[in-house]
Amino acid sequence: MLNDISRIKYISLISGIASLILGIYVIANPVAIAKGMGLLFCIVVLIEGISQILNYMGDKSESRSIWRLFEGIFSIIIAICFMLGGTSYISLGLMFIFGIWLIVNSLLRLLMSTRLLKYERNIGQRLVFISIIELILGIIIALNPKFMAASILLFVAIALFAQAIVGIFRFFRLNRLERKMR
């Protein structure tokens, strides 16, 4: 039992210190973090585009929506443009392009949802609601991309600092528990 506590406390300390270092790194190197997020964004958008095209192909011919196909093609084009542009291109325009992508996708989903309202009213209404929220977020991000990028990095850093505090305090708590058990 004592050996388990000793191992756990050091793992907590290492985790806390690593989170603290990573939090400091995020604040000190926002461009590097934006580049990493840009690559992740490219992968997510590419997968989304492929998924939309596969969904389009998998739908029955009477329920196929051309908007789903357009959304998939548009997402793949955006992902490829980012990948070909290189990491500096990704970090410079990521938030703005992400906002535009959200706007276009939300408009395409709104068009698709109006068709869906005829067949599945409940699902269509939810899709309209989600599309409107996505449209609003896209507009906010496109109009103020620097603020959004800074905000995201700030939230990541705060989360890492919170994790660091928890890990380091857990170390001291387990250290006290270990001493009491001896």
Side-chain angles (χ1 to χ4, degrees), residues 45-161:
V45 172
L46 184 63
I47 291 170
E48 170 68 16
I50 292 169
S51 170
Q52 291 298 342
I53 291 172
L54 291 176
N55 283 331
Y56 171 80
M57 294 172 154
D59 285 346
K60 296 176 185 172
S61 61
E62 65 272 0
S63 64
R64 275 189 182 159
S65 171
I66 194 73
W67 301 113
R68 182 182 302 254
L69 179 63
F70 285 147
E71 181 181 346
I73 292 169
F74 180 72
S75 295
I76 290 172
I77 290 170
I78 290 293
I80 291 171
C81 286
F82 270 132
M83 287 179 189
L84 294 176
T87 55
S88 60
Y89 178 70
I90 290 172
S91 63
L92 293 176
L94 176 65
M95 281 295 143
F96 177 74
I97 298 297
F98 180 66
I100 298 299
W101 177 73
L102 275 176
I103 292 168
V104 171
N105 272 356
S106 65
L107 292 174
L108 291 172
R109 285 190 185 141
L110 274 171
L111 292 170
M112 185 173 40
S113 64
T114 55
R115 184 168 182 235
L116 188 60
L117 280 170
K118 296 176 190 173
Y119 303 106
E120 297 282 340
R121 186 165 177 80
N122 196 17
I123 295 171
Q125 288 173 337
R126 290 179 185 159
L127 190 58
V128 167
F129 178 73
I130 291 169
S131 298
I132 290 171
I133 299 236
E134 196 175 43
L135 177 65
I136 292 168
L137 288 173
I139 291 169
I140 291 170
I141 292 170
L143 292 178
N144 202 348
K146 285 182 183 178
F147 173 76
M148 292 307 294
S151 298
I152 290 170
L153 293 177
L154 180 64
F155 287 125
V156 168
I158 289 170
L160 288 168
F161 288 142

Side-chain angles (χ1 to χ4, degrees), residues 164-178:
I165 291 168
V166 168
I168 292 168
F169 279 133
R170 186 181 308 127
F171 167 79
F172 288 115
R173 187 182 49 134
L174 290 171
N175 200 29
R176 275 195 306 263
L177 177 65
E178 185 180 42

